[in-house]
Amino acid sequence: MSPTSRTGSRRTGSRRSKRHVLITAGPTREYVDPVRYLSNESSGKMGFAIASAAVAQGDRVTLIAGPVRLETPPGVRRIDVSSAREMLRAVRSEFRDADALIMAAAVADWRPARKLAGKWRKKDQKTETASLELVKNPDILSLVARQKGDRLVVGFALETGDGVRRALRKLRRKNADYIILNDESVLGSERATVTILATDGSSVRLENKTKRAVAKALVALEKI
Ligand code: C5P
């Protein structure tokens, strides 16, 4: 069944079924060897808050989480992943049956070209410097949003400098419906200042709100 016909029947059917929202959260881990990895400071709190807010408004929620120390919110179906490529596989598979995707995960842009089978030992390295070859990770949002049809796709951005202009470019490049521009202070914090940017060029700024309040605003977004 095509996404269009599924969404259509959901809206017009006599027994209105719940919207299925797919949310990603947290960082990804890109392993160098069995015990070392590249990752980032994302706590996952924003994505988990979005999942709670979506359940509270009556949505069916699937949460794809990178490695985080957070309890699964009640009513949420959770799928744990580690690397960006694992997250891509899970998002692709779950998006088939979803009406909306909110990509709050801080996906690592790069991964080591090779994962060593055993620990990378200092004594095996004769030189004072060593380098790690990195390859680009797939951009999950761009890849999935290409096939979104009439489904809602929301991405996040953390920018420095001229954030709004960069985030708007990202919105178009990634074929999202909205980009949520975060201030840098967001990482690990309980509060957030965000600007919601839409494809029609409109924007709404939410200043120093709890992540819960931001999450409530985000799950109310509709396709323009
Ligand atoms: O390009 P940038 O990392 O700033 O884009 C951020 C948005 O793109 C977030 O919504 C993030 O979840 C998503 N993203 C992704 N796959 C990547 C990198 C980012 O889906 N490899």
Side-chain angles (χ1 to χ4, degrees), residues 103-105 107-109 137-141 155-157 159 170 174:
M103 275 295 307
V107 184
D109 289 327
N137 263 330
D139 190 311
I140 302 171
L141 181 56
F156 278 73
E159 305 288 346
K170 197 161 283 183
K174 300 202 183 206

Side-chain angles (χ1 to χ4, degrees), residues 31 54 72 75 77 87 92 97 105 111 127 130 143 150 174 192 203-204:
Y31 277 88
T72 310
R77 176 172 158 258
M87 186 172 279
R92 273 204 162 124
D97 173 51
R111 68 173 184 275
T127 52
L143 288 171
D150 69 350
K174 300 202 183 206
S203 66
V204 175

